[in-house]
């Protein structure tokens, strides 16, 4: 069996195991009165199976995606420079010359 298929089956089993724990936790903590709804309805077990399957598919897909994305190849080439700090707190004198805002012949305010 190819390694990728073996990895996929392993992650699917892990995802459905997490789904079983999640659905069991939902029923145990009675979130949204779920335990009462499941036990008092005649199709309650179908709802639990659907919840388990839907969460299993999601969790298995996420598990497989996480494992695939973490499978990087080792690349020994340096990336990003030497990470040496740059001194940016050195003060620099800057001349700021601005023209006068009032014209020379404007009347003065006498109040």
């Amino acid at each position: 069996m190819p390694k990728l298929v073996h990895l996929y089956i392993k992650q699917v089993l892990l995802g459905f195991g997490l789904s079983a724990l999640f659905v069991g936790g939902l029923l145990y903590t009675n979130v949204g009165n779920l335990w009462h709804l499941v036990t008092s309805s005649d199709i309650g077990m179908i709802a639990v199976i659907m919840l388990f399957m839907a969460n299993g598919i999601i969790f298995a897909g996420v598990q497989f995606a996480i494992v695939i994305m973490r499978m990087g190849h080792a690349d020994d080439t340096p990336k990003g420079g030497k990470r040496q700090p740059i001194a940016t707190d050195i003060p620099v004198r800057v001349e700021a010359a601005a023209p006068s805002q009032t014209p020379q012949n404007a009347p003065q305010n006498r109040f």
Side-chain angles (χ1 to χ4, degrees):
M1 182 181 326
K3 289 182 181 181
L4 188 61
V5 173
H6 179 69
L7 177 69
Y8 182 70
I9 291 172
K10 182 180 172 184
Q11 297 309 315
V12 166
L13 291 175
L14 183 60
F16 276 94
L18 287 172
S19 175
L21 288 174
F22 180 71
V23 172
L26 284 177
L27 292 172
Y28 179 74
T29 57
N30 201 17
V31 174
N33 207 14
L34 188 61
W35 178 257
H36 174 71
L37 290 171
V38 168
T39 56
S40 65
S41 176
D42 56 343
I43 59 168
M45 283 310 294
I46 293 175
V48 170
I49 291 170
M50 287 177 61
L51 189 63
F52 168 73
M53 291 300 292
N55 283 313
I57 291 168
I58 297 297
F59 289 161
V62 169
Q63 275 298 122
F64 188 62
I66 289 172
V67 168
I68 291 296
M69 287 183 204
R70 292 184 67 193
M71 291 176 66
H73 61 281
D75 191 11
D76 296 335
T77 59
K79 295 180 179 82
K82 297 181 180 179
R83 304 282 192 256
Q84 293 178 349
I86 298 172
T88 58
D89 56 350
I90 300 171
V92 177
R93 184 175 301 273
V94 177
E95 181 180 341
S100 174
Q101 294 293 327
T102 58
Q104 296 294 337
N105 299 334
Q108 297 291 331
N109 191 356
R110 297 183 189 222
F111 298 105

